[in-house]
């Protein structure tokens, strides 16, 4: 099959795809939101109240992310990019950077990244690794204001929404992977793509809240189910016989 006849595929990933790398999800039992109040560590108001607490939380998450390694689910997605090139894009709610470490390039990090932070005043960006030693709160070397994690908190607008909208409107296949369907706007993407006529597939341990919009649901760990799905794609679109 020639490249231009391959379908356009978009995948949305959530915390479930990194669970097998040892990164905690948010809403599963023992997940991050069981031990931390969202209002304390994931809102601009929480940061204004107690920046030290917020920095401790994200510094710890950054350390866990760099200690973790991508798992077969991440590698399966980078393999899809290898096969489909620019016809495959990955939208992730994850901030751990594991997709890129598995070799994916066409990645939109809609909730930001643990690997960068920025100045609350002049908006200058810094790699987190450069400011890690500044305890308890890092400050901007240019203007002296406080830095904050480059994470989209509740009440803030996710990144890349314009580009995401175009991808959703134009894809043929939409994959929803390891996400509970609890947080909008990401949870609504499957509705848009289904209404636009894409085939929608969900990959999750259990049926997420928005599973009514899936044409097909593949239950299981993404470390198992995604490599199997890649084989299906290889057979359907990359058979060189
Ligand atoms: P959640 O913790 O809400 O959901 C993770 C989903 O992954 C659950 O439905 C699990 O059943 C599933 N899961 C767990 N392990 C899995 C595995 N090995 N294979 C497949 N599925 C598995 O995480 P998200 O949906 O990503 O936002 O959460 C969305 C947003 O809420 C996050 O980006 C974060 C959070 O508040 C911000 O911080 C802005």
């Amino acid at each position: 099959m020639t490249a231009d006849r391959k379908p356009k595929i978009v995948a949305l990933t959530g915390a479930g795809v990194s669970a097998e790398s040892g990164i905690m999800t948010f809403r599963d039992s023992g997940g991050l939101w069981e031990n931390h109040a969202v209002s304390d560590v994931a809102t601009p108001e929480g940061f204004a109240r107690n920046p030290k607490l917020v920095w401790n939380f994200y510094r710890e998450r950054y350390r866990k992310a760099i200690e973790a390694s991508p798992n077969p689910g991440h590698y399966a997605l980078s393999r899809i990019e290898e096969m489909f090139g620019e016809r495959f894009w990955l939208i992730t709610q994850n901030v751990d950077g594991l997709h890129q470490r598995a070799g994916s390039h066409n990645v939109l990090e809609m909730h930001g990244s643990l690997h960068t932070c920025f100045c609350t005043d002049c908006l200058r960006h810094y790699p987190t690794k450069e400011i890690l030693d500044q305890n308890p709160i890092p400050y901007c070397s240019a203007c002296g204001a406080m830095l904050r994690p480059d994470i989209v908190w509740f009440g803030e607008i996710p990144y890349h929404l314009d580009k995401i909208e175009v991808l959703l409107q134009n894809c043929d296949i939409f994959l929803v992977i390891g996400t509970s369907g609890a947080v909008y706007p990401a949870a609504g993407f499957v509705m848009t793509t289904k209404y636009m006529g894409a085939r929608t597939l969900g990959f999750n341990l259990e049926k997420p809240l928005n599973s009514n919009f899936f044409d097909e649901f593949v239950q299981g760990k993404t470390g198992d189910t995604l490599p199997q799905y890649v084989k299906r794609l290889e057979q359907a679109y990359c058979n060189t016989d």
Side-chain angles (χ1 to χ4, degrees):
M1 181 170 232
T2 57
D4 61 344
R5 288 181 55 210
K6 284 181 177 167
K8 288 185 185 163
I9 306 180
V10 174
L12 169 72
T13 61
V17 78
S18 291
E20 289 159 77
S21 295
I23 308 265
M24 251 184 220
T25 62
F26 295 93
R27 293 173 184 79
D28 292 311
S29 145
L32 273 175
W33 293 158
E34 210 167 83
N35 298 314
H36 302 271
V38 172
S39 56
D40 284 341
V41 296
T43 63
E45 296 79 12
F47 183 64
R49 267 197 313 273
N50 193 344
K52 187 174 157 189
L53 174 86
V54 173
W55 263 114
N56 283 343
F57 177 74
Y58 288 99
R59 206 180 267 115
E60 189 51 30
R61 283 184 67 197
Y62 172 76
R63 288 210 174 96
K64 292 227 163 87
I66 57 170
E67 280 163 17
S69 302
N71 68 58
H74 296 109
Y75 287 112
L77 290 164
S78 77
R79 171 71 187 130
I80 301 180
E81 186 180 314
E82 233 172 73
M83 290 191 280
F84 286 76
E86 286 300 307
R87 298 179 87 81
F88 177 70
W89 275 84
L90 188 47
I91 304 165
T92 187
Q93 298 166 91
N94 298 344
V95 293
D96 53 36
L98 289 178
H99 286 306
Q100 292 91 330
R101 283 174 55 200
S104 289
H105 301 96
N106 297 348
V107 184
L108 297 173
E109 293 179 306
M110 65 177 291
H111 287 170
S113 171
L114 288 169
H115 296 265
T116 49
C117 52
F118 66 91
C119 174
T120 50
D121 192 26
C122 73
L123 305 182
R124 180 175 164 168
H125 279 68
Y126 293 83
T128 305
K129 66 172 183 237
E130 279 180 15
I131 55 88
L132 213 57
D133 294 342
Q134 289 186 45
N135 271 317
I137 298 169
Y139 289 91
C140 179
S141 58
C143 77
M146 207 160 34
L147 302 184
R148 61 162 274 183
D150 192 6
I151 300 292
V152 175
W153 286 324
F154 286 91
E156 298 181 324
I157 298 171
Y159 295 152
H160 311 299
L161 288 183
D162 288 351
K163 176 149 178 112
I164 288 173
E165 185 62 24
V166 174
L167 290 169
L168 298 179
Q169 300 269 346
N170 291 293
C171 69
D172 303 301
I173 299 176
F174 185 61
L175 313 174
V176 185
I177 301 164
T179 175
S180 60
V183 175
Y184 283 79
F189 292 170
V190 66
M191 297 168 201
T192 306
T193 53
K194 186 154 175 64
Y195 287 134
M196 292 303 293
R199 181 168 172 74
T200 56
L201 289 87
F203 299 83
N204 218 65
L205 269 188
E206 64 223 19
K207 280 200 167 173
L209 296 167
N210 50 6
S211 63
N212 286 349
F213 292 89
F214 296 157
D215 293 318
E216 183 179 338
F217 178 62
V218 184
Q219 187 155 20
K221 293 184 173 184
T222 47
D224 299 328
T225 57
L226 289 180
Q228 284 162 19
Y229 181 65
V230 167
K231 283 195 191 133
R232 271 168 65 181
L233 288 175
E234 281 170 345
Q235 279 162 6
Y237 301 109
C238 297
N239 206 335
T240 48
D241 292 346

